[in-house]
Amino acid sequence: MILDTIDNAQFYFNLSGFVKTGLEFLQNQKNLNGLPEGKIEIDGENVFALVQNYDTKDFDERRWEAHRKYFDIQFVVKGTEVIKVSQKSTMKPNTDYNSEGDYQLFTGHGSAIELTENQFIFLSPEDVHQPGLMINNNPQSVKKIVLKVLIG
């Protein structure tokens, strides 16, 4: 897991060409807040963005997820949320891996991280996460871009 601001994105370009492509997409957009909700192709199925608008929620402990095919780079454009993170080795699987949706659900506990505007969190397949959580039982409107970056 990496937590940083988009201003420091260049430090992570060497992780892979696909990571660089995704982070440059975020850096080069003139109006991230104006991007429409939905999927934006950046480099076909290698790198794409999922633009989301939602209110943060209070999820139960069964809603943890992890991915195998893609890294997640979750970037907050507007608002603040809590994302919980844990290592896969400390979690209990709830479902089998869904290869079509690239996810597996887990149960467990983890650390809460506050993700604010202009910050991103880089999540690997070992980082089980629970995004979109409210702070202090106070729902908040969030605009977030989730970059899906092919591993490999």
Side-chain angles (χ1 to χ4, degrees):
M1 180 208 70
I2 297 169
L3 176 68
D4 209 336
T5 66
I6 198 63
D7 300 326
N8 295 324
Q10 70 278 1
F11 296 127
Y12 310 103
F13 287 175
N14 64 345
L15 293 175
S16 83
F18 295 146
V19 169
K20 180 179 180 187
T21 297
L23 290 172
E24 284 181 331
F25 169 81
L26 292 176
Q27 284 185 317
N28 295 332
Q29 292 300 307
K30 296 190 186 325
N31 183 10
L32 289 169
N33 202 36
L35 290 176
E37 196 167 359
K39 183 177 178 179
I40 298 173
E41 286 193 22
I42 299 167
D43 182 11
E45 291 300 305
N46 297 322
V47 183
F48 57 92
L50 302 173
V51 180
Q52 306 169 344
N53 290 294
Y54 56 85
D55 290 335
T56 56
K57 296 187 178 357
D58 183 23
F59 292 126
D60 62 40
E61 291 299 315
R62 295 182 312 243
R63 301 285 313 255
W64 291 83
E65 64 184 52
H67 312 287
R68 293 184 189 173
K69 186 177 178 183
Y70 290 95
F71 293 119
D72 259 12
I73 302 174
Q74 300 195 14
F75 175 77
V76 173
V77 176
K78 183 184 76 147
T80 302
E81 73 175 37
V82 166
I83 182 168
K84 289 185 180 178
V85 181
S86 187
Q87 290 295 299
K88 189 185 288 185
S89 62
T90 68
M91 306 296 277
K92 179 182 174 194
N94 274 357
T95 64
D96 291 331
Y97 173 68
N98 179 316
S99 59
E100 186 176 312
D102 185 38
Y103 70 89
Q104 185 174 12
L105 301 180
F106 294 83
T107 300
H109 301 281
S111 301
I113 297 171
E114 194 170 296
L115 197 58
T116 61
E117 292 178 12
N118 205 39
Q119 285 187 313
F120 68 88
I121 189 165
F122 181 99
L123 301 161
S124 78
E126 293 303 309
D127 298 319
V128 181
H129 50 283
Q130 189 180 57
L133 302 174
M134 60 183 162
I135 299 170
N136 299 326
N137 296 320
N138 206 1
Q140 186 173 154
S141 178
V142 170
K143 180 164 191 159
K144 181 161 69 174
I145 299 171
V146 178
L147 291 174
K148 302 301 264 183
V149 177
L150 187 67
I151 297 169

mmCIF file of all heavy atoms in Angstrom, residues 86-125:
data_model
loop_
_atom_site.group_PDB
_atom_site.id
_atom_site.type_symbol
_atom_site.label_atom_id
_atom_site.label_comp_id
_atom_site.label_asym_id
_atom_site.label_seq_id
_atom_site.Cartn_x
_atom_site.Cartn_y
_atom_site.Cartn_z
ATOM 1 N N SER A 86 -6.035 -3.925 5.068
ATOM 2 C CA SER A 86 -5.417 -5.011 5.815
ATOM 3 C C SER A 86 -4.678 -5.912 4.833
ATOM 4 O O SER A 86 -4.909 -5.835 3.620
ATOM 5 C CB SER A 86 -6.475 -5.816 6.569
ATOM 6 O OG SER A 86 -5.871 -6.762 7.411
ATOM 7 N N GLN A 87 -3.823 -6.767 5.342
ATOM 8 C CA GLN A 87 -3.131 -7.746 4.512
ATOM 9 C C GLN A 87 -4.019 -8.972 4.316
ATOM 10 O O GLN A 87 -4.706 -9.406 5.245
ATOM 11 C CB GLN A 87 -1.816 -8.158 5.162
ATOM 12 C CG GLN A 87 -0.779 -7.056 5.145
ATOM 13 C CD GLN A 87 -0.365 -6.706 3.731
ATOM 14 O OE1 GLN A 87 0.151 -7.542 3.001
ATOM 15 N NE2 GLN A 87 -0.597 -5.469 3.328
ATOM 16 N N LYS A 88 -3.999 -9.524 3.131
ATOM 17 C CA LYS A 88 -4.821 -10.688 2.802
ATOM 18 C C LYS A 88 -4.581 -11.853 3.764
ATOM 19 O O LYS A 88 -5.508 -12.577 4.123
ATOM 20 C CB LYS A 88 -4.547 -11.116 1.362
ATOM 21 C CG LYS A 88 -5.514 -12.170 0.861
ATOM 22 C CD LYS A 88 -5.156 -12.672 -0.526
ATOM 23 C CE LYS A 88 -5.443 -11.627 -1.564
ATOM 24 N NZ LYS A 88 -5.209 -12.133 -2.943
ATOM 25 N N SER A 89 -3.355 -11.996 4.225
ATOM 26 C CA SER A 89 -3.015 -13.122 5.106
ATOM 27 C C SER A 89 -3.725 -13.065 6.460
ATOM 28 O O SER A 89 -3.818 -14.077 7.143
ATOM 29 C CB SER A 89 -1.502 -13.177 5.326
ATOM 30 O OG SER A 89 -1.061 -11.993 5.972
ATOM 31 N N THR A 90 -4.255 -11.895 6.827
ATOM 32 C CA THR A 90 -4.943 -11.752 8.115
ATOM 33 C C THR A 90 -6.463 -11.833 7.980
ATOM 34 O O THR A 90 -7.170 -11.709 8.976
ATOM 35 C CB THR A 90 -4.586 -10.414 8.795
ATOM 36 O OG1 THR A 90 -5.136 -9.334 8.027
ATOM 37 C CG2 THR A 90 -3.084 -10.251 8.937
ATOM 38 N N MET A 91 -6.957 -12.020 6.770
ATOM 39 C CA MET A 91 -8.394 -11.986 6.499
ATOM 40 C C MET A 91 -8.939 -13.380 6.202
ATOM 41 O O MET A 91 -8.204 -14.275 5.813
ATOM 42 C CB MET A 91 -8.670 -11.069 5.301
ATOM 43 C CG MET A 91 -8.106 -9.668 5.430
ATOM 44 S SD MET A 91 -8.837 -8.728 6.768
ATOM 45 C CE MET A 91 -10.297 -8.139 5.954
ATOM 46 N N LYS A 92 -10.263 -13.516 6.339
ATOM 47 C CA LYS A 92 -10.949 -14.775 6.025
ATOM 48 C C LYS A 92 -11.755 -14.581 4.731
ATOM 49 O O LYS A 92 -12.613 -13.698 4.666
ATOM 50 C CB LYS A 92 -11.884 -15.145 7.176
ATOM 51 C CG LYS A 92 -12.653 -16.415 6.922
ATOM 52 C CD LYS A 92 -13.606 -16.719 8.052
ATOM 53 C CE LYS A 92 -14.448 -17.923 7.666
ATOM 54 N NZ LYS A 92 -15.591 -18.081 8.521
ATOM 55 N N PRO A 93 -11.515 -15.408 3.715
ATOM 56 C CA PRO A 93 -12.283 -15.275 2.466
ATOM 57 C C PRO A 93 -13.768 -15.567 2.694
ATOM 58 O O PRO A 93 -14.126 -16.498 3.399
ATOM 59 C CB PRO A 93 -11.675 -16.331 1.540
ATOM 60 C CG PRO A 93 -10.359 -16.673 2.129
ATOM 61 C CD PRO A 93 -10.484 -16.446 3.603
ATOM 62 N N ASN A 94 -14.623 -14.742 2.096
ATOM 63 C CA ASN A 94 -16.079 -14.937 2.117
ATOM 64 C C ASN A 94 -16.573 -15.592 0.844
ATOM 65 O O ASN A 94 -17.612 -16.224 0.831
ATOM 66 C CB ASN A 94 -16.811 -13.594 2.215
ATOM 67 C CG ASN A 94 -16.980 -13.118 3.623
ATOM 68 O OD1 ASN A 94 -16.608 -13.781 4.565
ATOM 69 N ND2 ASN A 94 -17.537 -11.935 3.756
ATOM 70 N N THR A 95 -15.851 -15.346 -0.254
ATOM 71 C CA THR A 95 -16.256 -15.843 -1.567
ATOM 72 C C THR A 95 -15.040 -16.409 -2.281
ATOM 73 O O THR A 95 -13.907 -16.127 -1.911
ATOM 74 C CB THR A 95 -16.834 -14.707 -2.444
ATOM 75 O OG1 THR A 95 -15.803 -13.750 -2.705
ATOM 76 C CG2 THR A 95 -18.030 -14.030 -1.787
ATOM 77 N N ASP A 96 -15.296 -17.168 -3.325
ATOM 78 C CA ASP A 96 -14.226 -17.557 -4.231
ATOM 79 C C ASP A 96 -13.865 -16.337 -5.075
ATOM 80 O O ASP A 96 -14.651 -15.386 -5.190
ATOM 81 C CB ASP A 96 -14.696 -18.687 -5.156
ATOM 82 C CG ASP A 96 -14.915 -19.992 -4.409
ATOM 83 O OD1 ASP A 96 -14.241 -20.223 -3.376
ATOM 84 O OD2 ASP A 96 -15.767 -20.789 -4.866
ATOM 85 N N TYR A 97 -12.706 -16.378 -5.684
ATOM 86 C CA TYR A 97 -12.286 -15.294 -6.566
ATOM 87 C C TYR A 97 -13.178 -15.269 -7.802
ATOM 88 O O TYR A 97 -13.414 -16.295 -8.432
ATOM 89 C CB TYR A 97 -10.821 -15.488 -6.972
ATOM 90 C CG TYR A 97 -10.340 -14.510 -8.009
ATOM 91 C CD1 TYR A 97 -10.201 -13.161 -7.706
ATOM 92 C CD2 TYR A 97 -10.034 -14.936 -9.289
ATOM 93 C CE1 TYR A 97 -9.749 -12.256 -8.657
ATOM 94 C CE2 TYR A 97 -9.576 -14.048 -10.251
ATOM 95 C CZ TYR A 97 -9.441 -12.710 -9.931
ATOM 96 O OH TYR A 97 -8.996 -11.822 -10.880
ATOM 97 N N ASN A 98 -13.680 -14.090 -8.152
ATOM 98 C CA ASN A 98 -14.494 -13.875 -9.339
ATOM 99 C C ASN A 98 -13.574 -13.288 -10.409
ATOM 100 O O ASN A 98 -13.248 -12.096 -10.355
ATOM 101 C CB ASN A 98 -15.656 -12.928 -9.017
ATOM 102 C CG ASN A 98 -16.523 -12.633 -10.217
ATOM 103 O OD1 ASN A 98 -16.041 -12.381 -11.316
ATOM 104 N ND2 ASN A 98 -17.824 -12.645 -9.998
ATOM 105 N N SER A 99 -13.143 -14.127 -11.358
ATOM 106 C CA SER A 99 -12.173 -13.667 -12.353
ATOM 107 C C SER A 99 -12.779 -12.648 -13.316
ATOM 108 O O SER A 99 -12.080 -11.750 -13.786
ATOM 109 C CB SER A 99 -11.580 -14.846 -13.121
ATOM 110 O OG SER A 99 -12.597 -15.568 -13.781
ATOM 111 N N GLU A 100 -14.060 -12.777 -13.616
ATOM 112 C CA GLU A 100 -14.704 -11.820 -14.522
ATOM 113 C C GLU A 100 -14.739 -10.423 -13.918
ATOM 114 O O GLU A 100 -14.474 -9.437 -14.593
ATOM 115 C CB GLU A 100 -16.123 -12.278 -14.858
ATOM 116 C CG GLU A 100 -16.795 -11.417 -15.908
ATOM 117 C CD GLU A 100 -18.159 -11.961 -16.286
ATOM 118 O OE1 GLU A 100 -18.263 -13.171 -16.540
ATOM 119 O OE2 GLU A 100 -19.103 -11.158 -16.319
ATOM 120 N N GLY A 101 -15.051 -10.313 -12.641
ATOM 121 C CA GLY A 101 -15.097 -9.021 -11.965
ATOM 122 C C GLY A 101 -13.793 -8.648 -11.272
ATOM 123 O O GLY A 101 -13.667 -7.558 -10.743
ATOM 124 N N ASP A 102 -12.819 -9.555 -11.273
ATOM 125 C CA ASP A 102 -11.531 -9.365 -10.616
ATOM 126 C C ASP A 102 -11.687 -8.928 -9.162
ATOM 127 O O ASP A 102 -11.206 -7.880 -8.753
ATOM 128 C CB ASP A 102 -10.644 -8.362 -11.369
ATOM 129 C CG ASP A 102 -9.245 -8.265 -10.744
ATOM 130 O OD1 ASP A 102 -8.706 -9.300 -10.311
ATOM 131 O OD2 ASP A 102 -8.707 -7.147 -10.665
ATOM 132 N N TYR A 103 -12.383 -9.759 -8.384
ATOM 133 C CA TYR A 103 -12.493 -9.458 -6.960
ATOM 134 C C TYR A 103 -12.746 -10.726 -6.160
ATOM 135 O O TYR A 103 -13.232 -11.728 -6.671
ATOM 136 C CB TYR A 103 -13.604 -8.446 -6.683
ATOM 137 C CG TYR A 103 -14.992 -8.987 -6.885
ATOM 138 C CD1 TYR A 103 -15.674 -9.617 -5.846
ATOM 139 C CD2 TYR A 103 -15.628 -8.892 -8.118
ATOM 140 C CE1 TYR A 103 -16.945 -10.141 -6.030
ATOM 141 C CE2 TYR A 103 -16.895 -9.407 -8.311
ATOM 142 C CZ TYR A 103 -17.541 -10.032 -7.264
ATOM 143 O OH TYR A 103 -18.796 -10.552 -7.447
ATOM 144 N N GLN A 104 -12.394 -10.637 -4.898
ATOM 145 C CA GLN A 104 -12.735 -11.634 -3.905
ATOM 146 C C GLN A 104 -13.115 -10.863 -2.650
ATOM 147 O O GLN A 104 -12.499 -9.852 -2.323
ATOM 148 C CB GLN A 104 -11.563 -12.567 -3.630
ATOM 149 C CG GLN A 104 -11.916 -13.695 -2.676
ATOM 150 C CD GLN A 104 -10.788 -14.713 -2.525
ATOM 151 O OE1 GLN A 104 -9.656 -14.485 -2.944
ATOM 152 N NE2 GLN A 104 -11.102 -15.846 -1.917
ATOM 153 N N LEU A 105 -14.144 -11.336 -1.946
ATOM 154 C CA LEU A 105 -14.612 -10.673 -0.730
ATOM 155 C C LEU A 105 -14.087 -11.400 0.500
ATOM 156 O O LEU A 105 -13.912 -12.623 0.486
ATOM 157 C CB LEU A 105 -16.137 -10.614 -0.714
ATOM 158 C CG LEU A 105 -16.779 -9.867 -1.886
ATOM 159 C CD1 LEU A 105 -18.292 -9.882 -1.757
ATOM 160 C CD2 LEU A 105 -16.264 -8.440 -1.990
ATOM 161 N N PHE A 106 -13.866 -10.626 1.561
ATOM 162 C CA PHE A 106 -13.263 -11.135 2.784
ATOM 163 C C PHE A 106 -13.998 -10.603 4.012
ATOM 164 O O PHE A 106 -14.777 -9.652 3.933
ATOM 165 C CB PHE A 106 -11.796 -10.673 2.878
ATOM 166 C CG PHE A 106 -10.913 -11.260 1.833
ATOM 167 C CD1 PHE A 106 -10.843 -10.705 0.562
ATOM 168 C CD2 PHE A 106 -10.138 -12.365 2.107
ATOM 169 C CE1 PHE A 106 -10.028 -11.240 -0.419
ATOM 170 C CE2 PHE A 106 -9.314 -12.915 1.132
ATOM 171 C CZ PHE A 106 -9.257 -12.351 -0.126
ATOM 172 N N THR A 107 -13.697 -11.215 5.159
ATOM 173 C CA THR A 107 -14.146 -10.747 6.467
ATOM 174 C C THR A 107 -12.906 -10.519 7.317
ATOM 175 O O THR A 107 -11.949 -11.282 7.231
ATOM 176 C CB THR A 107 -15.027 -11.812 7.162
ATOM 177 O OG1 THR A 107 -16.149 -12.068 6.332
ATOM 178 C CG2 THR A 107 -15.510 -11.329 8.508
ATOM 179 N N GLY A 108 -12.957 -9.485 8.154
ATOM 180 C CA GLY A 108 -11.833 -9.246 9.044
ATOM 181 C C GLY A 108 -11.793 -7.819 9.536
ATOM 182 O O GLY A 108 -12.788 -7.099 9.478
ATOM 183 N N HIS A 109 -10.637 -7.434 10.003
ATOM 184 C CA HIS A 109 -10.435 -6.096 10.554
ATOM 185 C C HIS A 109 -9.155 -5.515 9.979
ATOM 186 O O HIS A 109 -8.262 -6.246 9.568
ATOM 187 C CB HIS A 109 -10.323 -6.165 12.086
ATOM 188 C CG HIS A 109 -11.533 -6.759 12.726
ATOM 189 N ND1 HIS A 109 -12.685 -6.050 12.930
ATOM 190 C CD2 HIS A 109 -11.781 -8.013 13.179
ATOM 191 C CE1 HIS A 109 -13.589 -6.833 13.496
ATOM 192 N NE2 HIS A 109 -13.058 -8.034 13.656
ATOM 193 N N GLY A 110 -9.074 -4.190 9.990
ATOM 194 C CA GLY A 110 -7.881 -3.537 9.471
ATOM 195 C C GLY A 110 -7.730 -2.145 10.012
ATOM 196 O O GLY A 110 -8.464 -1.732 10.909
ATOM 197 N N SER A 111 -6.807 -1.425 9.441
ATOM 198 C CA SER A 111 -6.507 -0.056 9.855
ATOM 199 C C SER A 111 -7.284 0.933 9.011
ATOM 200 O O SER A 111 -7.410 0.768 7.801
ATOM 201 C CB SER A 111 -5.013 0.218 9.698
ATOM 202 O OG SER A 111 -4.258 -0.674 10.468
ATOM 203 N N ALA A 112 -7.775 1.982 9.667
ATOM 204 C CA ALA A 112 -8.526 3.034 8.983
ATOM 205 C C ALA A 112 -7.579 4.142 8.541
ATOM 206 O O ALA A 112 -6.741 4.611 9.318
ATOM 207 C CB ALA A 112 -9.596 3.591 9.903
ATOM 208 N N ILE A 113 -7.713 4.542 7.290
ATOM 209 C CA ILE A 113 -6.920 5.637 6.729
ATOM 210 C C ILE A 113 -7.886 6.678 6.177
ATOM 211 O O ILE A 113 -8.808 6.339 5.441
ATOM 212 C CB ILE A 113 -6.004 5.121 5.605
ATOM 213 C CG1 ILE A 113 -5.011 4.102 6.169
ATOM 214 C CG2 ILE A 113 -5.285 6.269 4.919
ATOM 215 C CD1 ILE A 113 -4.218 3.381 5.113
ATOM 216 N N GLU A 114 -7.665 7.925 6.531
ATOM 217 C CA GLU A 114 -8.483 9.005 5.995
ATOM 218 C C GLU A 114 -7.886 9.437 4.663
ATOM 219 O O GLU A 114 -6.712 9.776 4.567
ATOM 220 C CB GLU A 114 -8.508 10.178 6.977
ATOM 221 C CG GLU A 114 -9.577 11.191 6.665
ATOM 222 C CD GLU A 114 -9.729 12.210 7.781
ATOM 223 O OE1 GLU A 114 -10.102 11.819 8.899
ATOM 224 O OE2 GLU A 114 -9.465 13.400 7.508
ATOM 225 N N LEU A 115 -8.713 9.407 3.629
ATOM 226 C CA LEU A 115 -8.288 9.759 2.276
ATOM 227 C C LEU A 115 -8.977 11.066 1.901
ATOM 228 O O LEU A 115 -10.207 11.119 1.846
ATOM 229 C CB LEU A 115 -8.669 8.625 1.315
ATOM 230 C CG LEU A 115 -8.022 8.556 -0.050
ATOM 231 C CD1 LEU A 115 -6.502 8.480 0.052
ATOM 232 C CD2 LEU A 115 -8.541 7.359 -0.813
ATOM 233 N N THR A 116 -8.180 12.115 1.674
ATOM 234 C CA THR A 116 -8.726 13.446 1.420
ATOM 235 C C THR A 116 -8.449 13.879 -0.016
ATOM 236 O O THR A 116 -7.734 13.198 -0.759
ATOM 237 C CB THR A 116 -8.116 14.472 2.400
ATOM 238 O OG1 THR A 116 -6.702 14.517 2.199
ATOM 239 C CG2 THR A 116 -8.401 14.097 3.845
ATOM 240 N N GLU A 117 -8.987 15.013 -0.378
ATOM 241 C CA GLU A 117 -8.833 15.536 -1.734
ATOM 242 C C GLU A 117 -7.362 15.614 -2.132
ATOM 243 O O GLU A 117 -6.511 15.997 -1.342
ATOM 244 C CB GLU A 117 -9.473 16.924 -1.839
ATOM 245 C CG GLU A 117 -10.976 16.869 -1.720
ATOM 246 C CD GLU A 117 -11.641 18.237 -1.760
ATOM 247 O OE1 GLU A 117 -10.984 19.245 -2.097
ATOM 248 O OE2 GLU A 117 -12.854 18.285 -1.450
ATOM 249 N N ASN A 118 -7.093 15.206 -3.362
ATOM 250 C CA ASN A 118 -5.768 15.235 -3.970
ATOM 251 C C ASN A 118 -4.871 14.088 -3.501
ATOM 252 O O ASN A 118 -3.720 14.022 -3.877
ATOM 253 C CB ASN A 118 -5.076 16.589 -3.736
ATOM 254 C CG ASN A 118 -4.031 16.890 -4.787
ATOM 255 O OD1 ASN A 118 -4.210 16.607 -5.964
ATOM 256 N ND2 ASN A 118 -2.917 17.446 -4.359
ATOM 257 N N GLN A 119 -5.385 13.189 -2.677
ATOM 258 C CA GLN A 119 -4.608 12.036 -2.238
ATOM 259 C C GLN A 119 -5.020 10.794 -3.018
ATOM 260 O O GLN A 119 -6.165 10.665 -3.444
ATOM 261 C CB GLN A 119 -4.830 11.745 -0.753
ATOM 262 C CG GLN A 119 -4.134 12.689 0.182
ATOM 263 C CD GLN A 119 -4.274 12.220 1.616
ATOM 264 O OE1 GLN A 119 -5.364 11.864 2.058
ATOM 265 N NE2 GLN A 119 -3.179 12.225 2.347
ATOM 266 N N PHE A 120 -4.051 9.882 -3.163
ATOM 267 C CA PHE A 120 -4.364 8.573 -3.734
ATOM 268 C C PHE A 120 -3.796 7.494 -2.830
ATOM 269 O O PHE A 120 -2.839 7.717 -2.078
ATOM 270 C CB PHE A 120 -3.836 8.424 -5.166
ATOM 271 C CG PHE A 120 -2.341 8.368 -5.297
ATOM 272 C CD1 PHE A 120 -1.661 7.163 -5.207
ATOM 273 C CD2 PHE A 120 -1.608 9.526 -5.537
ATOM 274 C CE1 PHE A 120 -0.281 7.108 -5.340
ATOM 275 C CE2 PHE A 120 -0.225 9.478 -5.677
ATOM 276 C CZ PHE A 120 0.440 8.270 -5.573
ATOM 277 N N ILE A 121 -4.411 6.329 -2.924
ATOM 278 C CA ILE A 121 -3.900 5.148 -2.251
ATOM 279 C C ILE A 121 -3.701 4.085 -3.328
ATOM 280 O O ILE A 121 -4.573 3.868 -4.171
ATOM 281 C CB ILE A 121 -4.831 4.674 -1.115
ATOM 282 C CG1 ILE A 121 -4.162 3.573 -0.292
ATOM 283 C CG2 ILE A 121 -6.192 4.267 -1.623
ATOM 284 C CD1 ILE A 121 -4.848 3.298 1.035
ATOM 285 N N PHE A 122 -2.508 3.500 -3.335
ATOM 286 C CA PHE A 122 -2.129 2.478 -4.304
ATOM 287 C C PHE A 122 -2.241 1.140 -3.598
ATOM 288 O O PHE A 122 -1.588 0.913 -2.582
ATOM 289 C CB PHE A 122 -0.694 2.735 -4.764
ATOM 290 C CG PHE A 122 -0.182 1.760 -5.782
ATOM 291 C CD1 PHE A 122 -0.173 2.088 -7.122
ATOM 292 C CD2 PHE A 122 0.316 0.515 -5.405
ATOM 293 C CE1 PHE A 122 0.317 1.200 -8.068
ATOM 294 C CE2 PHE A 122 0.799 -0.380 -6.342
ATOM 295 C CZ PHE A 122 0.800 -0.038 -7.672
ATOM 296 N N LEU A 123 -3.094 0.252 -4.122
ATOM 297 C CA LEU A 123 -3.389 -1.024 -3.472
ATOM 298 C C LEU A 123 -2.958 -2.188 -4.357
ATOM 299 O O LEU A 123 -3.348 -2.265 -5.527
ATOM 300 C CB LEU A 123 -4.887 -1.113 -3.173
ATOM 301 C CG LEU A 123 -5.410 -0.001 -2.264
ATOM 302 C CD1 LEU A 123 -6.917 0.138 -2.383
ATOM 303 C CD2 LEU A 123 -4.997 -0.260 -0.830
ATOM 304 N N SER A 124 -2.175 -3.088 -3.779
ATOM 305 C CA SER A 124 -1.711 -4.271 -4.493
ATOM 306 C C SER A 124 -2.674 -5.430 -4.225
ATOM 307 O O SER A 124 -3.581 -5.305 -3.397
ATOM 308 C CB SER A 124 -0.303 -4.639 -4.012
ATOM 309 O OG SER A 124 -0.372 -5.302 -2.758
ATOM 310 N N PRO A 125 -2.480 -6.569 -4.868
ATOM 311 C CA PRO A 125 -3.354 -7.724 -4.622
ATOM 312 C C PRO A 125 -3.342 -8.208 -3.169
ATOM 313 O O PRO A 125 -4.286 -8.851 -2.732
ATOM 314 C CB PRO A 125 -2.802 -8.799 -5.556
ATOM 315 C CG PRO A 125 -2.198 -8.036 -6.668
ATOM 316 C CD PRO A 125 -1.606 -6.814 -6.019
#
